[in-house]
Amino acid sequence: MSLCMVRNPLVTRRAVLQNTACGFGWLAFSAMLANAADASKASKALEEKGSGLGRAKRVIFLSMKGGPSHVDTLDYKPALAKVDGKPGPRPGSKWMKSPWQFQQHGQSGQWISELMPELAKVADDLAIVNSMQTDVPAHPQATIRMHTGTSQFVRPSVGSWVLYGLGSENESLPGFISIAPAGGGGGAQNYGNAFLPASFQGMRLGNENREVEQTQVSNLAPLVGSQRQRRELAFIQSMNEKKRARDRGDHEIEGVIHSYELAFRMQSELPQVMDIKSESAETLALYGMDRKETKNFGGKCLMARRMAEAGVRFIEITHGNWDHHASIGTSLPKNCEAIDRPLFGLLTDLKQRGLLEETLVVWTGEFGRTPYAQGRDGRDHNHKAFSLWMAGGGVAAGKRYGVSGEFGVEATENALPIVDFHATLLALLGLDHEQLTYPHAGRDFRLTDTKGRIVRDLMAT
């Protein structure tokens, strides 16, 4: 190491980090969970800003990219059969009934389409909302809105807010991981930290075009022995400590110091968590890993369970494409088949392991689809009514909330905008959405901005 590098610590740290064989990369650090100071701050936030309502300790967020058709999956509309083929509300449109049968399931009598027979087996664990609404029927804006609360400004994602509010359960793993996020629709903004400290950013793991079991984390394995790596890390940390001593109150330096330590610890723990092949044949089959149609999404769900068990606070899984403007009769069954068994496996496995009650599972798209046809056999975007379901984490299991009118065009009873959904999600985690704030640009920001109400009907008593 040259003397000039020592005298220029800002250059030195970056150069050493990017060019030496430390076994972990700069981009990984920014996505890692925070330091001890952040954890202490988060614990205080949980204690002082709690809603007093929460049971959940973590979230598994299942994002269906493209907007699943609610009237063909979770929102039974028998009235559509009576007007099928007749003129619809838009000029030139025609009403289109669902080609699939609905039945009631479980003691709760939840109406679920025949497209999801496996999910129907755990109907009593679901709280289904049929009155979701968002602002605009455009994929990028609606997706960002679902993830950050707004599509007009760059704001922290809901996962970052949850991590900021609750802190980490495992100091050797990132607290927020996005498994195989889809491109487009906001991209990295959907798991970004925006103005929150970088330690609350989500870590991207893999991409949508590769099976999750083939995912590798770049620069995770050290290129040198652990003893040498430890010495190199100690050298870098000593320079960081000097920088912190000179610039007191620099929280970024504080975060970098502890992020390096986390990355060092993560090298041994993350590969074990990602090793889904180590599961029993019975567990792999439970998630549909034994079938080509369900293997990919099943692997994502299984990895999510392993991460939840290991203490990752917020795990997101993305699946697409649900944008069925045409050929919905063939495309929608394929999408549902790909996720049905894995969803059943995830909920069943969490329950068997005693994790479901403290793990909030959310399944949603960015909006729904029209109950009238687009072209011959498709459905257009519908932001005025769509469905989602939640399970575990203290939700009112077996509950159906809200009504989307007679045909599913627009929420007519207990309309639930995104801001209220976010407020309720935070409450299920024990966080008060009005108190969970962060100072930025001269004012305190929050996920729900200036609105939001908690829907207590969706919470178990």
PDB file of all heavy atoms in Angstrom, residues 237-248:
ATOM      1  N   GLN A 237     -10.832  -0.966   8.189  1.00  0.00           N
ATOM      2  CA  GLN A 237     -11.607  -0.442   9.300  1.00  0.00           C
ATOM      3  C   GLN A 237     -10.820   0.581  10.111  1.00  0.00           C
ATOM      4  O   GLN A 237     -11.399   1.537  10.634  1.00  0.00           O
ATOM      5  CB  GLN A 237     -12.070  -1.591  10.208  1.00  0.00           C
ATOM      6  CG  GLN A 237     -13.044  -2.568   9.542  1.00  0.00           C
ATOM      7  CD  GLN A 237     -14.395  -1.932   9.256  1.00  0.00           C
ATOM      8  OE1 GLN A 237     -14.480  -0.975   8.496  1.00  0.00           O
ATOM      9  NE2 GLN A 237     -15.444  -2.468   9.838  1.00  0.00           N
ATOM     10  N   SER A 238      -9.516   0.373  10.231  1.00  0.00           N
ATOM     11  CA  SER A 238      -8.713   1.353  10.976  1.00  0.00           C
ATOM     12  C   SER A 238      -8.744   2.711  10.285  1.00  0.00           C
ATOM     13  O   SER A 238      -8.796   3.754  10.947  1.00  0.00           O
ATOM     14  CB  SER A 238      -7.273   0.846  11.105  1.00  0.00           C
ATOM     15  OG  SER A 238      -6.608   0.840   9.851  1.00  0.00           O
ATOM     16  N   MET A 239      -8.730   2.715   8.953  1.00  0.00           N
ATOM     17  CA  MET A 239      -8.819   3.980   8.221  1.00  0.00           C
ATOM     18  C   MET A 239     -10.208   4.596   8.389  1.00  0.00           C
ATOM     19  O   MET A 239     -10.360   5.810   8.515  1.00  0.00           O
ATOM     20  CB  MET A 239      -8.503   3.746   6.746  1.00  0.00           C
ATOM     21  CG  MET A 239      -7.041   3.391   6.485  1.00  0.00           C
ATOM     22  SD  MET A 239      -6.652   3.381   4.719  1.00  0.00           S
ATOM     23  CE  MET A 239      -7.560   1.939   4.189  1.00  0.00           C
ATOM     24  N   ASN A 240     -11.234   3.735   8.383  1.00  0.00           N
ATOM     25  CA  ASN A 240     -12.590   4.249   8.597  1.00  0.00           C
ATOM     26  C   ASN A 240     -12.735   4.871   9.976  1.00  0.00           C
ATOM     27  O   ASN A 240     -13.397   5.902  10.156  1.00  0.00           O
ATOM     28  CB  ASN A 240     -13.607   3.111   8.431  1.00  0.00           C
ATOM     29  CG  ASN A 240     -13.830   2.746   6.984  1.00  0.00           C
ATOM     30  OD1 ASN A 240     -13.730   3.585   6.096  1.00  0.00           O
ATOM     31  ND2 ASN A 240     -14.126   1.483   6.722  1.00  0.00           N
ATOM     32  N   GLU A 241     -12.117   4.238  10.977  1.00  0.00           N
ATOM     33  CA  GLU A 241     -12.189   4.763  12.339  1.00  0.00           C
ATOM     34  C   GLU A 241     -11.524   6.136  12.423  1.00  0.00           C
ATOM     35  O   GLU A 241     -12.012   7.033  13.105  1.00  0.00           O
ATOM     36  CB  GLU A 241     -11.516   3.783  13.312  1.00  0.00           C
ATOM     37  CG  GLU A 241     -12.286   2.488  13.525  1.00  0.00           C
ATOM     38  CD  GLU A 241     -13.537   2.671  14.363  1.00  0.00           C
ATOM     39  OE1 GLU A 241     -13.778   3.806  14.856  1.00  0.00           O
ATOM     40  OE2 GLU A 241     -14.292   1.691  14.526  1.00  0.00           O
ATOM     41  N   LYS A 242     -10.408   6.300  11.723  1.00  0.00           N
ATOM     42  CA  LYS A 242      -9.737   7.609  11.716  1.00  0.00           C
ATOM     43  C   LYS A 242     -10.622   8.654  11.045  1.00  0.00           C
ATOM     44  O   LYS A 242     -10.702   9.803  11.488  1.00  0.00           O
ATOM     45  CB  LYS A 242      -8.404   7.495  10.994  1.00  0.00           C
ATOM     46  CG  LYS A 242      -7.370   6.665  11.744  1.00  0.00           C
ATOM     47  CD  LYS A 242      -6.073   6.550  10.946  1.00  0.00           C
ATOM     48  CE  LYS A 242      -5.050   5.704  11.705  1.00  0.00           C
ATOM     49  NZ  LYS A 242      -3.792   5.537  10.931  1.00  0.00           N
ATOM     50  N   LYS A 243     -11.277   8.248   9.956  1.00  0.00           N
ATOM     51  CA  LYS A 243     -12.178   9.160   9.262  1.00  0.00           C
ATOM     52  C   LYS A 243     -13.338   9.552  10.170  1.00  0.00           C
ATOM     53  O   LYS A 243     -13.729  10.718  10.244  1.00  0.00           O
ATOM     54  CB  LYS A 243     -12.695   8.489   7.989  1.00  0.00           C
ATOM     55  CG  LYS A 243     -13.825   9.213   7.281  1.00  0.00           C
ATOM     56  CD  LYS A 243     -13.378  10.518   6.668  1.00  0.00           C
ATOM     57  CE  LYS A 243     -14.510  11.134   5.846  1.00  0.00           C
ATOM     58  NZ  LYS A 243     -14.175  12.480   5.362  1.00  0.00           N
ATOM     59  N   ARG A 244     -13.876   8.581  10.911  1.00  0.00           N
ATOM     60  CA  ARG A 244     -14.985   8.880  11.814  1.00  0.00           C
ATOM     61  C   ARG A 244     -14.548   9.818  12.933  1.00  0.00           C
ATOM     62  O   ARG A 244     -15.296  10.702  13.358  1.00  0.00           O
ATOM     63  CB  ARG A 244     -15.556   7.591  12.401  1.00  0.00           C
ATOM     64  CG  ARG A 244     -16.709   7.832  13.360  1.00  0.00           C
ATOM     65  CD  ARG A 244     -17.404   6.553  13.782  1.00  0.00           C
ATOM     66  NE  ARG A 244     -16.525   5.641  14.493  1.00  0.00           N
ATOM     67  CZ  ARG A 244     -16.937   4.532  15.093  1.00  0.00           C
ATOM     68  NH1 ARG A 244     -18.221   4.195  15.034  1.00  0.00           N
ATOM     69  NH2 ARG A 244     -16.098   3.741  15.718  1.00  0.00           N
ATOM     70  N   ALA A 245     -13.325   9.619  13.424  1.00  0.00           N
ATOM     71  CA  ALA A 245     -12.820  10.482  14.494  1.00  0.00           C
ATOM     72  C   ALA A 245     -12.690  11.928  14.019  1.00  0.00           C
ATOM     73  O   ALA A 245     -12.930  12.869  14.779  1.00  0.00           O
ATOM     74  CB  ALA A 245     -11.475   9.954  14.986  1.00  0.00           C
ATOM     75  N   ARG A 246     -12.316  12.093  12.751  1.00  0.00           N
ATOM     76  CA  ARG A 246     -12.177  13.451  12.211  1.00  0.00           C
ATOM     77  C   ARG A 246     -13.533  14.088  11.925  1.00  0.00           C
ATOM     78  O   ARG A 246     -13.725  15.279  12.104  1.00  0.00           O
ATOM     79  CB  ARG A 246     -11.359  13.412  10.923  1.00  0.00           C
ATOM     80  CG  ARG A 246      -9.883  13.176  11.128  1.00  0.00           C
ATOM     81  CD  ARG A 246      -9.102  13.549   9.869  1.00  0.00           C
ATOM     82  NE  ARG A 246      -9.587  12.837   8.695  1.00  0.00           N
ATOM     83  CZ  ARG A 246      -9.111  11.660   8.287  1.00  0.00           C
ATOM     84  NH1 ARG A 246      -8.151  11.073   8.979  1.00  0.00           N
ATOM     85  NH2 ARG A 246      -9.586  11.078   7.202  1.00  0.00           N
ATOM     86  N   ASP A 247     -14.482  13.288  11.446  1.00  0.00           N
ATOM     87  CA  ASP A 247     -15.795  13.803  11.046  1.00  0.00           C
ATOM     88  C   ASP A 247     -16.868  13.259  11.977  1.00  0.00           C
ATOM     89  O   ASP A 247     -17.641  12.373  11.619  1.00  0.00           O
ATOM     90  CB  ASP A 247     -16.108  13.409   9.598  1.00  0.00           C
ATOM     91  CG  ASP A 247     -15.070  13.930   8.627  1.00  0.00           C
ATOM     92  OD1 ASP A 247     -14.403  14.923   8.954  1.00  0.00           O
ATOM     93  OD2 ASP A 247     -14.937  13.334   7.539  1.00  0.00           O
ATOM     94  N   ARG A 248     -16.879  13.740  13.181  1.00  0.00           N
ATOM     95  CA  ARG A 248     -17.850  13.264  14.159  1.00  0.00           C
ATOM     96  C   ARG A 248     -19.272  13.568  13.696  1.00  0.00           C
ATOM     97  O   ARG A 248     -19.547  14.628  13.166  1.00  0.00           O
ATOM     98  CB  ARG A 248     -17.596  13.903  15.522  1.00  0.00           C
ATOM     99  CG  ARG A 248     -16.260  13.513  16.124  1.00  0.00           C
ATOM    100  CD  ARG A 248     -16.087  14.051  17.531  1.00  0.00           C
ATOM    101  NE  ARG A 248     -14.818  13.660  18.102  1.00  0.00           N
ATOM    102  CZ  ARG A 248     -14.567  12.476  18.655  1.00  0.00           C
ATOM    103  NH1 ARG A 248     -15.542  11.572  18.720  1.00  0.00           N
ATOM    104  NH2 ARG A 248     -13.377  12.203  19.142  1.00  0.00           N
TER     105      ARG A 248
END
